[in-house]
Amino acid sequence: PAPGAGFASSLRPGTALRPAEVALIRLDAGERLSEQDPRILSMAVEAGRAVVIAFNKWDLVDEDRRYDLEREVDRDLARIQWAPRVNVSAKTGRSVDKLAGALTTSLESWDRRISTGRLNTWLTDLVAQTPPPARAGKSPRVLFATQADTRPPRFVLFTTGFLEAGYRR
């Protein structure tokens, strides 16, 4: 039997991402985020690609939908709040010209190096606000971090114990 449309659509993004440096992910702003939307965005992030999110059909979005969409993004796309977002309308051409700037910004951030001092200042504040969860009664400490690579940016954390995957993310 032939695989279903869901299976086929899950293969295409992976194939399209291989040669890409940046992924432009178009979502329908007029509809609720589907289960597939965060999955495709995660595939782009896990493939180490720079990402831009384009919310299409913005001309059809009313005030209520904007509020709902913002809540959906906060809930379902929290892992990639850093990705530039552009609200566009392919039909009217609204803000389509802003896509090039967002792509450039995303690629530049993909190449950016952050100094160890600046990174550790930020990390110290972050850990103070949200300490690592305790494991076997002990809470690991984050000692320092450094940027190991770009394209995609990779960071190495030095800690006194294991950090759960959710916390590392």
Side-chain angles (χ1 to χ4, degrees):
F7 175 77
S9 68
S10 72
L11 293 179
R12 276 189 234 120
T15 304
L17 285 170
R18 273 189 217 112
E21 290 183 345
V22 63
L24 174 63
I25 311 291
R26 183 192 49 82
L27 303 175
D28 187 335
E31 296 184 18
R32 296 185 60 78
L33 293 177
S34 73
E35 187 178 306
Q36 194 78 349
D37 294 337
R39 191 174 310 144
I40 290 170
L41 284 158
S42 290
M43 287 174 70
V45 170
E46 289 167 17
R49 303 304 181 250
V51 175
V52 173
I53 302 170
F55 286 102
N56 191 28
K57 300 184 182 178
W58 198 254
D59 54 317
L60 304 177
V61 176
D62 62 18
E63 197 64 36
D64 290 338
R65 176 63 190 138
R66 287 180 191 178
Y67 174 77
D68 291 342
L69 182 60
E70 203 55 45
R71 289 182 50 212
E72 290 171 35
V73 167
D74 288 346
R75 183 188 66 233
D76 298 337
L77 306 181
R79 271 190 64 203
I80 57 167
Q81 290 176 353
W82 47 264
R85 293 186 287 192
V86 182
N87 302 325
V88 300
S89 171
K91 183 178 180 180
T92 67
R94 177 196 192 277
S95 298
V96 171
D97 57 327
K98 293 181 181 178
L99 288 173
L103 291 166
T104 300
T105 298
S106 189
L107 281 170
E108 286 172 353
S109 69
W110 204 38
D111 285 329
R112 184 173 298 136
R113 280 217 169 263
I114 300 171
S115 72
T116 300
R118 185 171 167 213
L119 178 61
N120 283 291
T121 299
W122 172 80
L123 186 62
T124 300
D125 293 343
L126 181 69
V127 170
Q129 292 173 8
T130 312
R135 186 173 183 178
K138 293 185 179 182
S139 194
R141 286 189 347 240
V142 177
L143 303 174
F144 71 97
T146 188
Q147 185 172 359
D149 205 359
T150 60
R151 288 187 164 244
R154 294 182 207 270
F155 300 91
V156 177
L157 296 175
F158 295 86
T159 66
T160 60
F162 181 78
L163 296 175
E164 300 291 335
Y167 189 79
R168 286 193 314 261
R169 238 191 330 272

